[in-house]
Amino acid sequence: MSYDLDFWKYKKDIYLDNQETYEKCSDEQIVEGLEDLPIELILKDIQDEFITWKMEDSNIDFENPVGKGAFQIFNTKQFVRFDCYGMEGEDMNRIIEVMVKYECPLYDPQVTQRYDGK
């Protein structure tokens, strides 16, 4: 079973329709009102967090060599999506914790909810 974890950061005092924002970001569109993210730092932190996982040459495909689960990373300069396959909830929470450091709350398109308290 696959599960998507999606992240972006709104500019100060901006709040848009989350589903529309998700769809535009997934289509690689630039969305007015979103901050650019420090993508290289985010990818480095994910690599550090999942250091024991097998990374493919691109460093965006990760596979757990001893347990179950894998994920792929898709990003633009404003958006990061983790396509998770058969992952444990605990491992998905590790991704969420990395993204919280960058003030990017989770948007869950499966239930159309952004977990930012708004």
Side-chain angles (χ1 to χ4, degrees):
M1 178 175 130
S2 67
Y3 209 89
D4 293 353
L5 305 175
D6 302 275
F7 304 89
W8 62 82
K9 181 178 180 180
Y10 287 119
K11 290 183 177 179
K12 185 176 176 24
D13 298 324
I14 300 287
Y15 201 80
L16 306 171
D17 179 275
N18 291 318
Q19 181 63 28
E20 187 178 313
T21 300
Y22 162 73
E23 290 171 8
K24 287 179 179 179
C25 287
S26 291
D27 286 339
E28 300 183 47
Q29 296 178 33
I30 298 301
V31 178
E32 192 68 36
L34 297 188
E35 296 279 357
D36 288 352
L37 300 176
I39 298 298
E40 294 302 318
L41 293 174
I42 290 169
L43 295 177
K44 173 77 170 96
D45 282 355
I46 292 293
Q47 290 170 359
D48 290 347
E49 181 65 31
F50 290 89
I51 192 111
T52 61
W53 288 42
K54 180 182 173 195
M55 284 185 285
E56 297 298 320
D57 293 333
S58 63
N59 291 336
I60 59 166
D61 296 316
F62 293 76
E63 185 176 340
N64 189 341
V66 295
K68 63 180 186 175
F71 66 91
Q72 294 177 316
I73 303 170
F74 166 80
N75 70 274
T76 68
K77 68 181 189 173
Q78 297 179 315
F79 174 73
V80 182
R81 181 180 71 224
F82 296 85
D83 297 319
C84 304
Y85 306 96
M87 287 180 65
E88 300 287 338
E90 189 174 294
D91 289 326
M92 287 191 283
N93 284 338
R94 292 167 58 196
I95 292 171
I96 294 167
E97 288 171 13
V98 168
M99 295 307 297
V100 165
K101 287 181 7 185
Y102 294 96
E103 300 176 352
C104 294
L106 170 66
Y107 176 71
D108 184 340
Q110 289 83 196
V111 296
T112 63
Q113 171 130 13
R114 183 168 159 96
Y115 295 93
D116 59 1
K118 294 183 182 179

